[in-house]
Amino acid sequence: MKKVIVTGINGLIGQYISKPLKDLDFEVYGIGRRDFETDKFNYKKCDINNSLETKNLFKEIKPQYLIHLAWDTNKGYLESDDNFDLVASSINMLKYFRENGGKKALFTGTCFEYKFKDYPIKEEDELKPNTIYAKCKNYLREISELYCDKNNIDFCWGRIFYTYGANEHQNRLFPYIINSLNNGKKVSINHSHLKRDYIFAGDVAKAISLVLNSKFNGIINICSGKSISLENIAITIAKKLNKLELLDLKKLETKEPDSIVGDNSILLNNFNFNYREIENFICSDNVDSVN
């Protein structure tokens, strides 16, 4: 079996990742900070910011593969000092990975590393991270690439665009719309004209698993390659729930880019990747599963 450690196994993407990894014959060891019981994979409670805990865990498991999903995305995370701690702990983790025979690592970045444009963003396009979160992610990529190249470790950096799925924070777009409509409350979206590249977190997990299991190294966009307006998302959900009258969709001016969409050509051409269209997902019986 191919042993893989997955950090953030309890997160938005991590909750979906054990099945596609096991389908590819990986022995999955998921780690997280809270107590958790499951028979789907091997779970280890560990705080990656605790250097000794992390070092001992890698020594115990000796994984050949590593997927790093864990990051603090609670309220205020874009400018939080916690980002600096996670950069340090992530680099330490690579060291422990190497010391115990690690061969290939996949770390996750963000589309916010890019300079946004009016057309699909490719992996080689210009970067312009503006928040502490995005700058720390980009710095982690740079130092991780250098470390892995020096120590003969295969390394991938997956830039993830907008995601949705079960157990999202209640302030995120999908839970906000669904919960408000189900409770008979008005849904107010000030910039409903904005278009974003949304992809189901389960499909992100599948893409990450395919990339890890391949010979691919380098940066790869993980996205749908299509944009959908916040207005269309809200209307589609409201139609499904028969609550169109509760929508308050404004198109106020904003400094945010009108459209953020990624180019997923590498993912499609190299991995025969298929994903669920957001409209089809909403119109199925899955709406309540993402609130």
Side-chain angles (χ1 to χ4, degrees), residues 47-145:
D47 182 353
I48 62 172
N49 284 327
N50 185 314
S51 181
L52 183 59
E53 279 187 13
T54 309
K55 182 177 182 177
N56 289 338
L57 183 72
F58 276 81
K59 185 176 181 180
E60 173 192 346
I61 297 172
K62 293 182 168 51
Q64 301 99 325
Y65 297 86
L66 170 62
I67 295 174
H68 184 21
L69 303 174
W71 209 269
D72 184 358
T73 55
N74 291 322
K75 186 176 181 180
Y77 75 96
L78 292 176
E79 299 298 336
S80 172
D81 283 352
D82 290 342
N83 290 291
F84 300 113
D85 294 333
L86 284 162
V87 169
S89 62
S90 300
I91 295 170
N92 281 335
M93 189 163 52
L94 267 182
K95 176 185 175 184
Y96 307 141
F97 183 56
R98 176 189 63 82
E99 289 175 349
N100 291 281
K103 299 299 182 184
K104 183 170 184 176
L106 189 153
F107 282 18
T108 52
T110 170
C111 64
F112 291 100
E113 297 169 55
Y114 287 117
K115 179 179 181 180
F116 294 128
K117 301 169 182 174
D118 293 330
Y119 50 85
I121 304 169
K122 297 182 178 181
E123 288 83 352
E124 66 271 18
D125 283 347
E126 184 179 355
L127 303 178
K128 192 179 179 181
N130 290 317
T131 62
I132 290 177
Y133 166 69
K135 289 180 179 180
C136 282
K137 282 284 190 178
N138 189 55
Y139 175 75
L140 176 59
R141 174 192 60 82
E142 290 179 334
I143 202 70
S144 298
E145 284 177 336

Side-chain angles (χ1 to χ4, degrees), residues 30-270:
I31 64 176
R33 290 185 295 182
R34 63 181 173 88
D35 292 324
F36 183 72
E37 293 185 6
T38 181
D39 57 3
K40 295 180 180 179
F41 54 87
N42 304 288
Y43 182 74
K44 301 286 186 177
K45 184 179 179 182
C46 176
D47 182 353
I48 62 172
N49 284 327
N50 185 314
S51 181
L52 183 59
E53 279 187 13
T54 309
K55 182 177 182 177
N56 289 338
L57 183 72
F58 276 81
K59 185 176 181 180
E60 173 192 346
I61 297 172
K62 293 182 168 51
Q64 301 99 325
Y65 297 86
L66 170 62
I67 295 174
H68 184 21
L69 303 174
W71 209 269
D72 184 358
T73 55
N74 291 322
K75 186 176 181 180
Y77 75 96
L78 292 176
E79 299 298 336
S80 172
D81 283 352
D82 290 342
N83 290 291
F84 300 113
D85 294 333
L86 284 162
V87 169
S89 62
S90 300
I91 295 170
N92 281 335
M93 189 163 52
L94 267 182
K95 176 185 175 184
Y96 307 141
F97 183 56
R98 176 189 63 82
E99 289 175 349
N100 291 281
K103 299 299 182 184
K104 183 170 184 176
L106 189 153
F107 282 18
T108 52
T110 170
C111 64
F112 291 100
E113 297 169 55
Y114 287 117
K115 179 179 181 180
F116 294 128
K117 301 169 182 174
D118 293 330
Y119 50 85
I121 304 169
K122 297 182 178 181
E123 288 83 352
E124 66 271 18
D125 283 347
E126 184 179 355
L127 303 178
K128 192 179 179 181
N130 290 317
T131 62
I132 290 177
Y133 166 69
K135 289 180 179 180
C136 282
K137 282 284 190 178
N138 189 55
Y139 175 75
L140 176 59
R141 174 192 60 82
E142 290 179 334
I143 202 70
S144 298
E145 284 177 336
L146 179 63
Y147 185 88
C148 288
D149 182 62
K150 181 179 183 297
N151 290 284
N152 198 31
I153 297 172
D154 291 336
F155 182 75
C156 299
W157 183 260
R159 287 204 180 107
I160 300 173
F161 282 64
Y162 290 76
T163 58
Y164 62 95
N167 303 311
E168 287 191 73
H169 192 283
Q170 297 304 296
N171 291 333
R172 287 170 64 95
L173 181 67
F174 277 71
Y176 164 66
I177 295 173
I178 295 168
N179 291 335
S180 296
L181 295 180
N182 280 334
N183 291 319
K185 296 180 179 179
K186 181 184 293 187
V187 170
S188 181
I189 300 178
N190 289 331
H191 312 296
S192 64
H193 59 289
L194 298 181
K195 295 180 178 181
R196 298 293 182 257
D197 187 332
Y198 272 93
I199 184 170
F200 175 56
D203 291 331
V204 174
K206 180 173 67 175
I208 288 171
S209 302
L210 291 171
V211 174
L212 186 75
N213 194 51
S214 72
K215 295 182 179 180
F216 179 86
N217 288 319
I219 301 167
I220 185 168
N221 286 337
I222 300 179
C223 57
S224 72
K226 298 180 180 179
S227 63
I228 182 170
S229 70
L230 307 188
E231 177 181 42
N232 284 344
I233 292 173
I235 289 174
T236 305
I237 294 174
K239 284 182 177 178
K240 170 71 176 177
L241 299 176
N242 296 315
K243 298 288 182 67
L244 276 171
E245 72 280 2
L246 292 177
L247 295 184
D248 179 20
L249 305 177
K250 305 182 182 70
K251 296 181 180 179
L252 304 180
E253 291 187 6
T254 176
K255 293 182 180 179
E256 291 189 45
D258 286 342
S259 177
I260 298 177
V261 60
D263 184 310
N264 65 355
S265 298
I266 294 178
L267 189 59
L268 294 182
N269 296 338
N270 290 275

